[in-house]
Amino acid sequence: MNRIKWISLSLLLLLGACSKSDKIIQPENTGTKPGILSNISVENTPGGAKITYLLPKNEDMLYVQAIFSSRNGEERTTKASLYTNFVELEGFADTKEYNVTLYAVNRSENRSEPVNVKIHPLPPPIETVFNSLVVKEDFGGINMNFLNEGEDEFVFSTQIMGPVGKLVTYDKLYTKAKTRDYSVRGLAAEPTEFFISVKDKWGNLSDTLKTTLTPIYEEMVSKTNPKWVAMNYPNDSQIPKTSPQPIEKIWDGVWTTNTSFFIGKEPPQNPLPNWFTINMGKQYQLSRMKMYQYTLTNYAYTLGNPEVFEIWGSNNPTPDGAWDNWELLMTCTSIKPSGSLGSAKTAEDVAYAAAGEDFAFPYGTPPVQYIRFKTNRTWGRADNLLLAELTFWGGK
């Protein structure tokens, strides 16, 4: 019995020791403030600042807190880990002077005495991006180019004057791309007032670019009147890999189902480049083309979806389909807005591909009746083409 009592007493003492140890490691709110930050230095950055400091010698330091106000007076807070010696501030919309209050905070959430710092942000990204914006007339609307060196998040908003004299939002573009060549279409060929602005992820709004432009007239080229026909020349690559997906799927007006695509048969002795030929039935003065990759089941930017390709035109092709009497109309390169490598893609990439990719024919492109689509490189480096739909537009 004495042995059993001794073991029981030992267990009780051990449990008590564990309990006491647990209490010791819990932070206690002593009410003691940590020391203040010292050796403060400021590096102003585009739309913000990097503030470097020396941490106080407190064993229970947890983080550094920076409190400041935005241009509209909204109070914002940024925290930095105790494992760094700096805090980075972002989201300022101008280059005015701002006051930042810094605190050292311990594990009991006690704050040190404040340290006030003045910052003068450099021109913010939203201002730089807005100033880079170039807008011009385009077929059916306007075209915009801009540069976003930092690949920051922005929303471009295009407004037009509505029928009752009020501005209405016609189009919005969310992007993190470094650069974009972007068009807003679907408008009549008449003078139109455009109001374009940019918003960043902090809610800052740029100035408004106001311009009056006249969209260039265009209309969609009919695929049924007259009906498009595949020429099936001996050297064309129009043989499907699977019978339910013939070459005609590329112009059937459907591109959002699991069967609305063409996939070519692997060419064992006919690697890229390869091509197919369409007879559009009559001559058209082409203005632009929209290409839809096959994007379902996460296939965008993979397999045989075209990356680099050419559009050729002719009005008098030879019966054997040789390259005599063909003229190169344009060379195209499909883009992935994020620029990510391999099969990796962002939500913006997926949305961009699903909306179809526009390619404008050079001004003065001659009228043609026959189109040849020549694939030079695919996104997945496959030799057999994968494509959902092609659509053309043209002027009078």
Side-chain angles (χ1 to χ4, degrees):
M1 289 292 292
N2 289 338
R3 180 179 176 82
I4 294 173
K5 288 181 179 179
W6 182 84
I7 292 174
S8 300
L9 179 60
S10 298
L11 288 172
L12 288 171
L13 290 172
L14 181 60
L15 290 172
C18 290
S19 178
K20 184 177 180 181
S21 175
D22 288 344
K23 290 180 181 177
I24 289 173
I25 65 172
Q26 295 298 322
E28 296 181 5
N29 194 339
T30 62
T32 303
K33 294 181 178 181
I36 65 172
L37 302 170
S38 58
N39 290 4
I40 309 293
S41 65
V42 175
E43 178 189 353
N44 294 307
T45 59
K50 179 179 180 180
I51 305 175
T52 305
Y53 43 74
L54 184 64
L55 292 167
K57 297 185 181 299
N58 293 81
E59 293 182 0
D60 64 344
M61 263 289 298
L62 185 59
Y63 61 88
V64 170
Q65 183 181 50
I67 299 177
F68 54 96
S69 295
S70 62
R71 180 171 62 178
N72 59 13
E74 177 187 359
E75 184 176 275
R76 293 173 51 198
T77 299
T78 298
K79 295 179 180 180
S81 164
L82 64 92
Y83 299 109
T84 66
N85 68 335
F86 63 88
V87 60
E88 292 184 296
L89 310 181
E90 301 176 289
F92 294 90
D94 52 41
T95 58
K96 295 179 180 178
E97 179 180 271
Y98 288 88
N99 182 67
V100 181
T101 304
L102 300 175
Y103 295 95
V105 184
N106 63 20
R107 296 182 185 277
S108 300
E109 293 294 329
N110 294 315
R111 298 196 308 191
S112 68
E113 291 298 321
V115 176
N116 293 316
V117 181
K118 302 291 186 183
I119 67 170
H120 295 82
L122 301 179
I126 190 172
E127 179 181 318
T128 305
V129 169
F130 179 79
N131 289 339
S132 76
L133 189 59
V134 176
V135 183
K136 60 184 179 181
E137 296 169 341
D138 199 359
F139 289 100
I142 58 173
N143 175 266
M144 293 185 280
N145 282 271
F146 55 86
L147 188 61
N148 177 18
E149 286 284 2
E151 299 182 39
D152 299 292
E153 297 178 46
F154 293 108
V155 175
F156 286 75
S157 178
T158 301
Q159 295 180 299
I160 59 175
M161 193 63 69
V164 293
K166 291 186 178 181
L167 287 179
V168 295
T169 299
Y170 185 78
D171 186 85
K172 283 190 175 183
L173 169 70
Y174 164 81
T175 183
K176 291 178 64 179
K178 191 171 185 177
T179 183
R180 283 288 295 269
D181 184 319
Y182 169 68
S183 292
V184 175
R185 303 189 190 275
L187 295 166
E190 58 189 30
T192 304
E193 288 185 278
F194 294 92
F195 303 79
I196 303 164
S197 59
V198 187
K199 181 183 284 188
D200 65 21
K201 65 180 180 181
W202 294 281
N204 296 316
L205 192 64
S206 72
D207 293 334
T208 299
L209 187 157
K210 302 176 183 179
T211 182
T212 299
L213 296 171
T214 302
I216 304 170
Y217 175 83
E218 67 171 2
E219 61 183 15
M220 186 184 296
V221 173
S222 174
K223 303 175 187 180
T224 58
N225 185 26
K227 185 178 181 179
W228 290 11
V229 176
M231 294 305 296
N232 297 329
Y233 290 123
N235 291 328
D236 282 7
S237 296
Q238 77 284 339
I239 300 174
K241 182 175 181 179
T242 54
S243 57
Q245 277 75 46
I247 192 72
E248 286 79 9
K249 285 286 185 179
I250 294 175
W251 55 87
D252 66 353
V254 182
W255 57 88
T256 58
T257 71
N258 282 322
T259 59
S260 58
F261 65 93
F262 166 78
I263 182 167
K265 187 175 182 180
E266 289 90 343
Q269 296 180 349
N270 186 27
L272 293 177
N274 49 50
W275 52 86
F276 62 88
T277 309
I278 306 170
N279 179 358
M280 296 186 294
K282 67 177 183 180
Q283 291 186 15
Y284 293 96
Q285 177 88 47
L286 299 175
S287 58
R288 66 181 171 103
M289 176 191 75
K290 185 182 284 287
M291 181 201 73
Y292 291 92
Q293 298 183 43
Y294 181 67
T295 61
L296 299 186
T297 324
N298 206 30
Y299 281 144
Y301 307 104
T302 65
L303 301 177
N305 277 312
E307 182 183 7
V308 179
F309 52 95
E310 299 167 357
I311 305 299
W312 292 71
S314 176
N315 288 311
N316 187 30
T318 59
D320 61 356
W323 283 92
D324 302 326
N325 303 332
W326 285 90
E327 179 178 349
L328 178 62
L329 304 183
M330 66 175 172
T331 299
C332 309
T333 300
S334 172
I335 69 165
K336 187 191 295 186
S338 72
S340 58
L341 300 177
S343 60
K345 42 190 170 282
T346 65
E348 182 182 357
D349 295 335
V350 174
Y352 177 79
E357 197 166 357
D358 284 305
F359 300 91
F361 287 92
Y363 180 79
T365 295
V368 293
Q369 177 175 336
Y370 298 85
I371 286 291
R372 179 164 281 176
F373 188 103
K374 178 183 178 183
T375 305
N376 293 322
R377 187 171 74 220
T378 62
W379 279 101
R381 301 304 184 257
D383 284 335
N384 55 321
L385 176 68
L386 174 62
L387 189 57
E389 188 80 10
L390 287 180
T391 301
F392 294 97
W393 282 262
K396 290 181 177 179

